[in-house]
Amino acid sequence: MIEKDVIIVGGGAAGFFAAINIAEQNPKLKVAILERGKEGLQKVKVSGGGRCNVTHAEFIPSELVQSYPRGEKELLGPFHQFMTGDTIEWFEKRGVELKIEDDGRMFPVTNSSQTIIDCFLSEAKKHKVDILYNHSVQSIKKHNDRFSLETSQGEFSSEKLLIATGSNTKIWKLIEGFGHTVSQPVPSLFTFNIKDERITDVPGVVALHVEVKVINTDLWSEGPLLITHWGMSAPAILKLSAFGALELAKRDYKFQIEINFIRQSFNDCLEVLKILKQDLAKKTVYKSTQFDLPKRLWHKLVLASNMNEETRWADLNKSQLENLSSQLTTAIFNVDGKSTFKEEFVTAGGINLKEVNFKTFESKLHKNLYFAGEVINVDAITGGFNFQNAWTGGYIVAKSISK
């Protein structure tokens, strides 16, 4: 039996961040990370296309929490303790400079996730954190104020235990053995599979300002929309997938969306089209792209409005004008299935938020048992927010344990 003061199960973002901060704040504590893989920090490695989207340039807690479909209320207090500015400072003190991109996402200036991984590994070494790979936890028991863990490579015991395993269903089962309830996981960041004439053959086209609604729900979002080989992606879709995770899972990912490509009402658009009918009378509709839409998308929507490539503005009848206005402002698409967004698989689900004390991230049911990161039922939209939750949770756990 190997004895430690603190054992952390899970060598991901939250686990490493907590371990380093515990060992730094209280060097007397013997800290170990048990990681089931042959290396840790896998999500850090692939995030942001291998660049690691460390956090998001949002510096007001009440604004930041709005990017969390689950956890919005609970994270407000924690973000007052440790948030974006603290994250930036933490990394800078350790020689990692971050930069802000136009959309608010923050990356290391090196544009490489390896920079973050190297920082964590060297800090862990410096503060004598034991990192044990290929240690898959089989059981967790509590006896006389100590936790004992059986792994694929031996037995460990500790006074304090942090679970930071993300959405690992096997560990969730072990936690349920401690009386905790777990919301069953459903995917939270995904793209929509759509087969439709209007978007075939135009992958890569981006409409910058769209509004998307899921029909027969209150779900809607706005932002850029990307047409892909299999359907639609980009922030407008990913936000919907996060906020609609539970509802869309119930529908087995078969539903209809309504898209307003130009963010104008049907009637306003119709009035503009009537003016264009006068002003561009001799030109073909197909060749005169309007509303700042990508040319290839305009072509598709024109053809879907009962016109051909030769139809001139002057020849448009009432029904064609109305068709075009509705394709631009209320286009209906059938979604049939989803695809994982890049390698960044995020799930909604995890330990019931009511069972965690968010001042310390300690279990309300068991003293000295802590949780951080996605193992709790917290998830966010894409853009660095899931990592910010990991850093905040890891830091607050560290502060609590190292006392």
Side-chain angles (χ1 to χ4, degrees):
M1 175 85 73
I2 296 170
E3 300 207 345
K4 296 283 178 188
D5 298 306
V6 184
I7 285 177
I8 293 164
V9 182
F16 262 88
F17 203 72
I20 292 162
N21 283 293
I22 292 165
E24 185 179 43
Q25 289 171 31
N26 187 343
K28 289 190 198 128
L29 295 176
K30 287 190 287 198
V31 182
I33 295 174
L34 302 178
E35 164 56 42
R36 65 177 172 164
K38 57 178 189 292
E39 49 187 332
L41 300 166
Q42 285 307 293
K43 265 197 183 174
V44 170
K45 193 175 191 170
V46 299
S47 145
R51 297 194 299 143
C52 188
N53 184 181
V54 177
T55 185
H56 200 94
E58 173 51 74
F59 299 94
I60 301 161
S62 58
E63 295 288 323
L64 184 61
V65 292
Q66 287 172 25
S67 295
Y68 296 83
R70 281 146 293 274
E72 178 179 350
K73 197 168 85 250
E74 290 77 9
L75 288 175
L76 189 58
F79 284 156
H80 279 283
Q81 281 196 60
F82 188 94
M83 66 171 273
T84 320
D86 306 297
T87 300
I88 296 166
E89 190 186 351
W90 193 94
F91 281 105
E92 277 183 353
K93 272 188 182 158
R94 290 156 183 82
V96 178
E97 205 183 325
L98 304 181
K99 59 171 179 178
I100 304 174
E101 304 214 329
D102 292 347
D103 57 5
R105 292 183 305 161
M106 297 194 69
F107 295 90
V109 291
T110 58
N111 272 332
S112 167
S113 56
Q114 197 56 46
T115 306
I116 304 297
I117 293 171
D118 292 344
C119 166
F120 282 165
L121 293 176
S122 84
E123 287 293 311
K125 192 174 171 184
K126 178 169 136 192
H127 296 292
K128 301 185 172 57
V129 173
D130 255 353
I131 309 166
L132 303 165
Y133 297 111
N134 298 311
H135 276 65
S136 172
V137 173
Q138 314 293 328
S139 75
I140 303 173
K141 295 190 175 76
K142 194 175 186 192
H143 187 64
N144 294 343
D145 291 343
R146 281 188 83 80
F147 293 94
S148 60
L149 292 85
E150 200 178 314
T151 78
S152 49
Q153 303 220 34
E155 289 183 24
F156 295 81
S157 99
S158 68
E159 187 195 338
K160 295 178 193 288
L161 178 64
L162 165 62
I163 306 290
T165 44
S167 3
N168 178 334
T169 44
K170 199 176 105 185
I171 299 292
W172 276 336
K173 284 242 164 12
L174 297 181
I175 300 302
E176 284 177 326
F178 276 75
H180 274 285
T181 46
V182 172
S183 312
Q184 282 320 296
V186 298
S188 163
L189 280 184
F190 50 86
T191 61
F192 294 177
N193 295 354
I194 299 168
K195 283 194 174 68
D196 192 294
E197 262 307 296
R198 291 166 290 177
I199 60 170
T200 45
D201 311 325
V202 291
V205 164
V206 177
L208 278 175
H209 303 290
V210 303
E211 220 166 76
V212 190
K213 293 178 189 158
V214 178
I215 291 176
N216 295 330
T217 71
D218 296 332
L219 295 167
W220 73 281
S221 77
E222 56 190 12
L225 179 140
L226 167 71
I227 293 169
T228 66
H229 286 288
W230 58 87
M232 293 179 182
S233 183
I237 298 297
L238 295 168
K239 266 187 231 169
L240 264 191
S241 76
F243 281 91
L246 305 179
E247 180 60 43
L248 302 180
K250 269 187 221 153
R251 292 164 184 246
D252 198 22
Y253 308 104
K254 290 175 174 53
F255 52 93
Q256 288 187 312
I257 52 174
E258 180 187 293
I259 299 181
N260 187 332
F261 286 105
I262 60 173
R263 288 173 73 174
Q264 287 189 23
S265 72
F266 172 85
N267 288 334
D268 288 351
C269 176
L270 192 56
E271 289 312 310
V272 175
L273 295 177
K274 284 175 183 169
I275 295 165
L276 292 169
K277 178 176 156 77
Q278 308 287 317
D279 293 353
L280 304 173
K282 290 186 174 154
K283 296 193 167 160
T284 66
V285 182
Y286 187 83
K287 283 199 173 143
S288 26
T289 309
Q290 300 297 321
F291 303 104
D292 289 335
L293 279 179
K295 199 187 291 175
R296 293 194 292 161
L297 179 59
W298 172 263
H299 290 168
K300 288 282 190 180
L301 297 179
V302 166
L303 296 177
S305 309
N306 291 341
M307 301 177 209
N308 59 41
E309 293 182 23
E310 305 308 320
T311 309
R312 296 183 318 154
W313 284 96
D315 302 331
L316 289 184
N317 60 34
K318 181 170 180 267
S319 138
Q320 287 169 315
L321 283 167
E322 287 176 352
N323 281 343
L324 184 53
S325 185
S326 74
Q327 288 295 346
L328 290 164
T329 61
T330 56
I332 309 279
F333 290 86
N334 293 314
V335 177
D336 184 8
K338 58 167 177 48
S339 297
T340 304
F341 174 62
K342 298 190 181 160
E343 302 87 344
E344 300 173 42
F345 190 66
V346 174
T347 56
I351 291 158
N352 189 324
L353 299 172
K354 292 187 171 69
E355 298 168 2
V356 179
N357 173 358
F358 281 90
K359 287 192 174 76
T360 55
F361 282 74
E362 188 174 15
S363 158
K364 286 181 180 175
L365 311 185
H366 296 276
K367 197 170 154 42
N368 294 330
L369 173 62
Y370 296 82
F371 305 109
E374 268 190 64
V375 69
I376 307 170
N377 189 15
V378 168
D379 62 288
I381 61 175
T382 179
F385 301 102
N386 282 301
F387 276 141
Q388 186 53 55
N389 168 46
W391 314 140
T392 295
Y395 186 84
I396 291 173
V397 165
K399 216 167 88 171
S400 178
I401 286 180
S402 55
K403 278 178 187 165

